[in-house]
Amino acid sequence: QVQLVESGGGLVQPGGSLRLSCAPSGNIFSINTMGWYRQAPGKQRELVATITSGGITIYVDSVKGRFTISRDNAKNTMYLQMNSLKPEDTAVYYCNANALAPWGRVTDFWGQGTQVTVSS
């Protein structure tokens, strides 16, 4: 019934930029923290950035100063602006939302992932 949908991934050269978006395809109520995670080949999925409903953000050290997480609460949409991209940023990026589901429980929702490839 409810699914998160990511978009905005693609192929970009080092130093380039991408903007990822994540939004629910169904109704989600009272979204708490939202976040972006990524998984590169041969690596564990790692937290990239999180943002609370009040706008408090946390970033993994490797992306600080380059990535910006934001959200539009009116649209229940989250964004990840990725600047100064490096090859090591190459990964599948997943969005996550902790929210009150229509069936009345606080639930973690995940998107299907979007591929980001940074290469010369």
Side-chain angles (χ1 to χ4, degrees):
Q1 182 179 355
V2 179
Q3 181 180 352
L4 297 179
V5 180
E6 303 104 331
S7 63
L11 174 64
V12 65
Q13 292 184 324
S17 298
L18 288 172
R19 190 192 193 202
L20 306 183
S21 300
C22 174
S25 61
N27 290 332
I28 298 179
F29 300 95
S30 301
I31 296 177
N32 301 313
T33 300
M34 301 184 76
W36 288 98
Y37 295 74
R38 66 186 180 187
Q39 187 167 26
K43 295 184 178 181
Q44 297 290 105
R45 184 176 299 187
E46 69 169 345
L47 173 69
V48 178
T50 62
I51 183 168
T52 69
S53 60
I56 299 173
T57 59
I58 295 175
Y59 298 91
V60 67
D61 287 345
S62 61
V63 309
K64 288 181 179 177
R66 299 188 298 118
F67 291 9
T68 302
I69 188 171
S70 62
R71 62 192 288 175
D72 183 338
N73 290 334
K75 298 179 179 179
N76 277 337
T77 301
M78 176 179 62
Y79 306 94
L80 185 67
Q81 180 66 48
M82 309 165 67
N83 298 326
S84 302
L85 283 162
K86 303 175 180 179
E88 48 263 46
D89 295 318
T90 296
V92 177
Y93 284 70
Y94 300 89
C95 65
N96 169 269
N98 181 260
L100 179 65
W103 51 89
R105 297 185 68 86
V106 176
T107 306
D108 276 328
F109 297 92
W110 291 90
Q112 81 289 347
T114 185
Q115 177 70 49
V116 172
T117 302
V118 185
S119 176
S120 298

